[in-house]
Amino acid sequence: MSSPMRIYRLMNLLSLDVVAGAVVCALFFARVFEVSIRPFGLIALALTVWIIYTADHLRDAKKLTGQASTERHRFHQVHYRKLIILTTIALCLDVIAILFIKQQVLEWGVALSLVVFAYLLVQGSLKFLKELFIAILYTCGILLLSLPVSNLKFDPPYYLLVIQFFIAALANLLMFSWFDREFDRQDKRHSFVTKTGEVTTRRVVWFLLLLLLALTLIQSLTATLLIPSLIVGCMGLMLLMIFVYRESLANRDYYRLLGDAVFLVPVIYLLLK
């Protein structure tokens, strides 16, 4: 593996590519909704996303009695104490950054936190909905920095764009669960695919990706948000290609690298405007 690939692989293991994707998507929607985001807002988003993903991986690594089946969880097992310290530092910095974000964003953020807390209380009996909840949380977190402070009148194309993005996030998470199904079974982790089966999951992924492409076609006919909708449609097309060639990617773990990189695609829109 080349040096650039090793560096990117390390970023992937640390979920830093997920953080970068979240920041890019937040800036993307801010541009679409015609609002400016304070730097502290982006810092808070980046830290929050990293804390959530890292804490989740550390929790899974802690539960395992033996060596983890996946490289990601083995990495968190080996560097458990260091990552605990980094997560604690990140949490402190996140609290400081949150103090400087816009009031409307803070209020919506508190409401979203309450929803997260409520889910955590009942997640034991709703483990098969994990991917759905994370997709909702991810989409709301991305929109949190721009939607509450936008002065735009939201016509149907704006709502469809949000739905497109949510479908892309959900399809991506379900694909990850599908690829990791054997590892999840070995490590006794729960996901949509371990609860509903491979066939059902595969059908749901196909349905979501085709629905996303159909919505992109509908959006192109209205031309109100043509470029943004095409950007999200390209994300869906990339996910579709990853899933079509899933057998050749599964043994190399490239699907996770490519799947997380999909959320960097909206940077094209930022460079165009």
Side-chain angles (χ1 to χ4, degrees), residues 22-36:
V23 171
V24 166
C25 290
L27 290 171
F28 167 75
F29 277 104
R31 186 69 59 84
V32 172
F33 295 155
E34 300 179 6
V35 300
S36 59

Side-chain angles (χ1 to χ4, degrees), residues 5-6 26 28 33 64 94 122-123 146 151 154 196 206 212 218 223 239 241 248 267:
M5 181 57 71
R6 283 200 299 268
F28 167 75
F33 295 155
L64 297 174
D94 197 13
V122 299
Q123 68 169 337
S146 55
N151 294 319
F154 287 89
T196 64
W206 274 110
L212 174 54
I218 294 173
L239 290 172
M241 295 303 295
S248 60
V267 76

